[in-house]
Amino acid sequence: MPRWCLLLVKCLGCAVIEDTWHYFLHRLLHHKRIYKYIHKVHHEFQAPFGMEAEYAHPLETLILGTGFFIGIMLLCDHVIFLWAWVTIRLMETIDVHSGYDIPLNPLNLIPFYAGSRHHDFHHMNFIGNYASTFTWWDRIFGTDSQFIAYNEKMKKVGKKTE
Ligand SMILES: [Zn+2]
Ligand SMILES: [Zn+2]
């Protein structure tokens, strides 16, 4: 039985690998020449909900799902690790599609965790916020600029209505 701290570190490693894969391939799936053939299925819902997390074209499941397996191939040496990573990844993707930014959500304790507001905006806006779990790739490439502008605008609207 692997030590729990090793499990967590390896799961974090898998999440970083998956997030990187997801960012670039997801961004590619939004390319205007291929978007309508594959990724449009997942964007059928502008306001996502938990069960919609896995709702996608079979090719998308294959393309983006590959990122899930890369970490397993590189880091997995025990079946418990596989179960832990599957559980964490499913919890994460259902959380970001839930439409709820739940207070005291333990996932929000993870540094740079994107969360539901991040992915909710992606479904609402179609452009930007391409990463699955963390915010750094969108920050580095500036693909979160519309999300940041939107948040600023909402803050101003909120202040005016107070
Ligand atoms: Zn998308
Ligand atoms: Zn989605």
Side-chain angles (χ1 to χ4, degrees):
M1 184 66 192
R3 271 184 269 160
W4 69 269
C5 52
L6 192 69
L7 271 181
L8 278 183
V9 169
K10 284 189 174 191
C11 283
L12 186 67
C14 275
V16 170
I17 293 167
E18 193 284 332
D19 180 70
T20 303
W21 179 272
H22 192 102
Y23 176 83
F24 292 102
L25 274 293
H26 181 198
R27 199 171 164 182
L28 185 72
L29 288 174
H30 272 269
H31 190 281
K32 59 180 185 250
R33 287 207 176 157
I34 54 171
Y35 172 76
K36 64 182 175 185
Y37 300 111
I38 302 171
H39 193 50
K40 195 174 183 221
V41 175
H42 182 67
H43 276 279
E44 198 177 312
F45 299 95
Q46 262 186 289
F49 50 95
M51 290 293 282
E52 199 249 339
E54 299 299 327
Y55 180 65
H57 190 283
L59 268 179
E60 177 175 331
T61 304
L62 209 69
I63 294 165
L64 295 183
T66 300
F68 171 83
F69 290 101
I70 296 171
I72 291 170
M73 289 186 286
L74 295 174
L75 305 168
C76 183
D77 54 5
H78 198 286
V79 73
I80 286 288
F81 168 72
L82 182 70
W83 291 345
W85 171 226
V86 167
T87 306
I88 288 171
R89 177 66 184 126
L90 279 176
M91 273 170 41
E92 181 274 327
T93 193
I94 292 167
D95 177 50
V96 302
H97 284 92
S98 68
Y100 293 100
D101 187 12
I102 303 161
L104 305 175
N105 180 353
L107 290 170
N108 288 332
L109 296 172
I110 302 168
F112 301 99
Y113 182 65
S116 61
R117 286 180 192 274
H118 191 266
H119 198 66
D120 228 48
F121 183 79
H122 176 72
H123 276 264
M124 185 181 83
N125 195 53
F126 296 102
I127 299 162
N129 290 10
Y130 299 111
S132 62
T133 311
F134 303 107
T135 53
W136 52 62
W137 286 118
D138 282 297
R139 190 80 289 274
I140 289 167
F141 290 103
T143 44
D144 61 355
S145 57
Q146 290 186 14
F147 178 56
I148 291 167
Y150 174 78
N151 283 338
E152 290 298 317
K153 194 175 148 191
M154 293 319 274
K155 267 185 209 162
K156 279 180 194 161
V157 171
K159 275 182 190 162
K160 274 183 191 168
T161 54
E162 280 171 11

